Amino acid sequence: MPPKSGHQRAKNIDYDDDELYSDEDEYYEEGGEEEGISEADKQQMAAATIKVKEALGGSLKPTDAEIQEALWHYYYDVAKSVSYLKNKYAPKAPSKPKQPQKPASRFDQAASAAGTGTTDGPSKQKAIPKKSAADKLAESLDKVQVEETPKIKSKNLNVVEEFAKSGLKRMANFVVIGHVDHGKSTLMGRLLYDLKVIDQRSVDKLKKEAESIGKDSFALAWVMDQTSEERSRGVTVDIATNNFETDTTRFTILDAPGHRDFIPNMIAGASMADFAVLVIDASTNSFESGLKGQTKEHALLVRSMGVQRLIVAVNKMDTVNWSQRRFGEISEQMTAFFVAASFSPKQITFVPCAGKEGDNVTKRVDQSQAEWYTGPTLVEALDMCEPAKRPVEKPLRLTISDVFRGGITNPVSISGRIDAGTLQIGDTILAMPSNEKATIKAIEINDEPVDWAVAGQIPTLHLQDIDPVHLRLGDIACDPRNPVRLVKSFTCKILAFEHVLPSSVDVFRGRLQAEGRIIRLSSTLNKTTGEVIKKKPRIIKPAEVARVVVELERELPLEHGVRIVLRERGSTVAAGLLEG
Amino acid sequence: MRLLKQQIERKDGSGFAVLLPEEPEDMWHAYNLIQPTDTLRARAIRRVSKTSDAGSTASQRIALDLSITVTSTDFDIASGQLHVAGRVVSENEHVKLGSHHTLDLELNRKFTLEKGEGWDSVAVEMLREACDTEKRAELWAVVMGEGIANICLITEHQTILRQRVEVAVPRKRKGDIGGHDKGMNRFYATVLSTLLRHLDLSSSSSTPSSSADKTIPLLLASPGFVATAFLAHIKAEATRTTNKPLMTLLPTILVAHSSSPHVHSLSEVLASPAITAKLSDTKYARETALMDRFLMLMRQDDARAWYGPREVERAVAKGAVGRGGGVLLISNALFRAQNVKERRRWVGLVERVKEVEGGEVRVLSSLHESGKRLEALGNVAAILTYPVEDLDESDDEGEEIRNAGGVNGAEEMII
């Protein structure tokens, strides 16, 4: 370009700007005639064309058609297109000094991934030979983008590799379920206390507080139940999370409420768990009343949420003098029920224990009545559980289970389990259904800052560039390049717990709770083969498997294969698997 | 609604009725009454443009009475407005015959309705019900959960969702207990201020005569303890701000248990014994009880309960919905059918059950929860006097494939 005076240059810039807009217009006109390019593609193309032009600056002037061709080949990847064009037009473009990488540096990652042979078509031959130069130029592009989004630096890790390398301890999340007042929270409080996660002083303090309102037996439960309401009423209302570590595994406890009103919260907890601990009160009458109550419902729910492994903690054994007969009786009854609910007997372990006293929780019982029991303690049983497989390679899906203010420096924070994929600091996530993007400023797992997180973990993400009104409980945070589709109605295969008729239901998926209607009973199915038994049944009876169509009040991010629970009038009518 | 004049021939249903809507709910009745092909005469404002001889045009708005043949109706539930579109049937100096006009029915303005197809039994019944002047039950209800509240107004014929309040409440977290409590307080404050805006307590207290006989009771329902805590919040707030109207409201507040924070759990709240005792005579409660009875029979797999248009018509044809317990449940949505033939089909069904078979007919309001439940079942259901099997058998039989073989314990279930 010929040298110009300042005035002229200013003019020139103006001209460039004008050209930019007019190009866009031109593009739209052209695009209209082209076939096979969707509206979204066009927009993406237009936006990307502008970016490429900016990135190339004034030094190169490829035509729009060339830019767009490059973009098309690189699937709208601006960085790669830029580097390709630069290489093409100015093979000796000066390489810039290495810069710390910025949010957009995922491009880089993608570029290297592309280089290893995922792209097809003509782009491949051009891309590979120039890869080293391309990388450097991609970095220089990142530098250009620094001005737009400052602050967050991505370490640009390959999280999947990091995860494999890290040699982290096994991680497992388990949900504690059972009927109300069977001692779930107390048992977990005891576990944490005995494992020295909670120190003596805090427990003493809780004991004193509990005694002062005449509820001294609740002291250990208060480790988990922290809100004033839960304490004054003596029931768990919401999921409490806590962590502990054994020699082999890092566990996250999800202590679920047992009261029937709070089953939505329990479902939220169960959806985050790898396996479940079912707490059963062994004392006379309690076990029986629990069977009628939530013991069965909870067990069925976790089963239909996909939990296969179950540890049954037969609690309060001290009240029945560690009677072997009582333990046997309970195990027998429950096993029969579990098999009917299609749990595999191999996946079920029965452990007798006493939560309040701490017998057989972390250490064995030293009472003579309990000598008959030689099996594992509760912690040993937990240690034997294989955590579920982690789909780290899939696109990111994180169900938001909490939105809160993480502090003065972190005004918007979310937490939730990563269902699939990975994330790291600097990543951009897309919140659905609000369709708003946010950038991850920091990640915490178990209150420790980390650089990345993978599927199966329950991280806390501190976000920026988003208003908290766009984040609601049950929303999905996903990869912007692989967004979740929103659906208004869906077909699902359900296992009926109660009679199912077309009616209004509450649809649950993890923390998500929505209004919906069963609009059609399509067919009843054979339980094992999935064959159609009867088309258009007039009613679905309990324990039958059926296919139904559900319509939602508003669009929600639900994907094929997610597990949902349908509830009506305070009881679970059915649990199912989404088919599309 | 006030019936000013009525001239309906018993025999052929010809004739007209002059009606005066007085309260918002009357619009809902009018919506149910007015059908396509009917003739409606009401006050209208129409812009009339005149072209003078010189070619200049002048337009002005004139109020005039217009008669139209109805082509479609449009009802806005939230604002209670009814728009009736049609073509002018009586010409006058301003409006030509056959030109289109949309009448907006207004409160306290009379309208004359003449039925195109004649006044059938259902229409006459509706008219009677609409003009029923006995005191109507009204109820405000707030169905709530943590961070979500639905403010509804329940009237004799409608459940209107006035507003939904959603406030993000942080969940309980380890070491951060304040966030949850603070969030809940903010939530209660938001719900209360929203509710007060809707209740409009100040206006009713300014006219003492009306407030004396018209304190609408308020119902709070929620799973868990939210409703109770909210009541405590209202009490505290009433004392703190010494809000007189709010204080007077306090004794009328009922607290009930619901299983979810969604509007459709209202049906369950209103069916609960504590509430039915207070509201037993409302149409709503009666309808809810009836739906519950029907669903109970369904659950027992009793062949006396059937739903769906085809099945119910077959049952009626067999004479199973008759004297001695036969009940036909039908949603008024079916009578609003734009298609005359469709409407006649349902009117015929109702007349047959009522007059030939001697059964009971209940028309459920599609704006109530019970009506919505019925809607899910295809808008029509029946409780039969004797069990009839296989009403649902379709014409293309042999579709049923009974798979033999129970569930094998070893096999994986498909879900």
Side-chain angles (χ1 to χ4, degrees), chain B residues 6 18 31 53 57 115 126 162 230 274 333 361:
Chain B
Q6 182 187 9
V18 183
Y31 176 52
D53 298 338
T57 55
K115 281 277 170 193
M126 267 181 194
R162 274 305 174 81
F230 183 50
V361 177

Side-chain angles (χ1 to χ4, degrees), chain B residues 49-347:
Chain B
S49 48
K50 276 183 189 149
T51 313
S52 69
D53 298 338
S56 67
T57 55
S59 75
Q60 63 181 128
R61 294 165 156 277
I62 352 175
L64 71 173
D65 280 328
L66 272 185
S67 292
I68 59 167
T69 313
V70 179
T71 50
S72 71
T73 52
D74 176 29
F75 182 59
D76 181 358
I77 298 168
S79 63
Q81 281 182 326
L82 178 61
H83 311 288
V84 187
R87 304 179 71 138
V88 175
V89 285
S90 67
E91 196 173 32
N92 61 22
E93 53 178 316
H94 302 294
V95 188
K96 280 207 186 87
L97 190 72
S99 58
H100 287 270
H101 190 87
T102 302
L103 290 172
D104 299 335
L105 293 189
E106 280 174 64
L107 290 184
N108 296 318
R109 278 205 195 280
K110 64 175 184 175
F111 64 88
T112 311
L113 182 66
E114 196 174 329
K115 281 277 170 193
E117 294 286 313
W119 291 83
D120 53 38
S121 64
V122 172
V124 171
E125 182 63 24
M126 267 181 194
L127 184 64
R128 200 190 55 73
E129 201 173 86
C131 301
D132 195 357
T133 48
E134 89 185 43
K135 199 176 162 351
R136 296 199 171 103
E138 269 189 333
L139 180 69
W140 280 98
V142 184
V143 195
M144 57 203 302
E146 268 183 32
I148 177 165
N150 291 294
I151 299 174
C152 315
L153 176 63
I154 303 169
T155 63
E156 189 78 13
H157 299 276
Q158 288 168 288
T159 304
I160 307 160
L161 173 63
R162 274 305 174 81
Q163 191 153 10
R164 163 178 282 164
V165 181
E166 273 183 87
V167 174
V169 176
R171 317 301 299 200
K172 93 178 182 194
R173 299 186 62 72
K174 204 170 49 158
D176 172 34
I177 320 135
H180 177 78
D181 291 352
K182 230 197 247 164
M184 284 309 279
N185 281 334
R186 201 173 56 229
F187 168 62
Y188 292 142
T190 316
V191 176
L192 183 59
S193 61
T194 317
L195 180 66
L196 290 180
R197 256 201 315 280
H198 283 283
L199 289 181
D200 203 11
L201 291 169
S202 54
S203 71
S204 65
S205 61
S206 63
T207 50
S209 58
S210 71
S211 76
D213 62 319
K214 214 183 175 190
T215 31
I216 302 173
L218 174 64
L219 170 71
L220 307 176
S222 81
F225 320 114
V226 183
T228 328
F230 183 50
L231 179 59
H233 177 86
I234 298 179
K235 274 189 184 142
E237 200 62 14
T239 340
R240 193 175 64 80
T241 56
T242 57
N243 184 338
K244 275 255 178 62
L246 192 58
M247 291 283 228
T248 53
L249 182 73
L250 278 176
T252 69
I253 299 178
L254 305 170
V255 173
H257 177 269
S258 75
S259 59
S260 83
H262 301 308
V263 184
H264 60 75
S265 62
L266 261 184
S267 60
E268 150 207 359
V269 176
L270 292 162
S272 69
I275 304 298
T276 40
K278 297 201 170 154
L279 301 165
S280 54
D281 56 337
T282 59
K283 186 172 151 79
Y284 192 124
R286 281 197 307 270
E287 286 176 0
T288 305
L290 201 60
M291 270 316 283
D292 283 345
R293 191 171 141 228
F294 173 78
L295 292 175
M296 200 188 68
L297 285 174
M298 251 343 267
R299 288 207 183 89
Q300 288 165 355
D301 205 17
D302 193 321
R304 280 185 300 164
W306 286 95
Y307 67 88
R310 215 179 47 197
E311 288 83 355
V312 171
E313 277 186 329
R314 282 186 194 172
V316 173
K318 286 191 178 184
V321 191
R323 250 169 228 101
V327 184
L328 177 71
L329 302 165
I330 190 160
S331 164
N332 59 8
L334 289 179
F335 300 123
R336 285 197 303 269
Q338 300 283 327
N339 183 342
V340 176
K341 216 171 117 195
E342 186 73 11
R343 181 187 156 95
R344 233 186 242 151
R345 174 181 170 194
W346 299 116
V347 172

Side-chain angles (χ1 to χ4, degrees), chain A residues 5 46 78 80 97 101 148 171 221 245 253 388 409 468 478 565 570:
Chain A
S5 73
V78 176
K80 278 188 279 174
Q101 294 179 351
E148 295 163 9
M171 291 167 296
E245 240 173 273
I253 304 174
T409 48
C478 58
V565 174

Side-chain angles (χ1 to χ4, degrees), chain A residues 224-230 233 238-240 242-243 261-262 265 303 342 401-404 415 447 460 472-473 493-495 499 501-506 511 513 515 526-528 530-535 538-539 541 545 569-570, chain B residues 146 164 166 169-175 177 180-181 223-225 229 257 259-264 267-268 292 295 298-299 301-303 305-307 373 375-377 392 399-405 407-408 411-415:
Chain A
M224 306 303 279
D225 298 349
Q226 289 171 328
T227 65
S228 53
E229 193 165 58
E230 287 176 329
R233 295 186 192 266
D238 205 349
I239 292 283
N242 221 319
N243 315 295
D261 273 5
F262 309 120
N265 295 338
R303 173 66 187 82
S342 74
S401 59
D402 192 8
V403 181
F404 58 100
S415 75
D447 302 324
T460 296
R472 269 190 307 200
L473 300 188
K493 223 158 41 183
I494 56 161
L495 170 68
H499 290 91
L501 280 168
S503 60
S504 298
V505 285
D506 294 337
R511 195 49 108 169
Q513 183 181 354
E515 285 176 84
N526 183 298
K527 264 192 183 178
T528 47
E531 279 173 55
V532 175
I533 297 177
K534 188 178 191 314
K535 279 190 183 167
R538 91 185 176 115
I539 189 163
K541 295 190 200 107
V545 175
R569 306 184 134 219
Chain B
E146 268 183 32
R164 163 178 282 164
E166 273 183 87
V169 176
R171 317 301 299 200
K172 93 178 182 194
R173 299 186 62 72
K174 204 170 49 158
I177 320 135
H180 177 78
D181 291 352
F225 320 114
H257 177 269
S259 59
S260 83
H262 301 308
V263 184
H264 60 75
S267 60
E268 150 207 359
D292 283 345
L295 292 175
M298 251 343 267
R299 288 207 183 89
D301 205 17
D302 193 321
W306 286 95
Y307 67 88
R373 280 198 278 168
E375 189 187 334
L377 298 173
D392 57 340
E399 247 187 278
E400 250 173 73
I401 323 149
R402 289 259 173 221
N403 271 47
V407 184
N408 206 330
E411 273 179 279
E412 264 301 287
M413 204 152 71
I414 49 169
I415 295 187

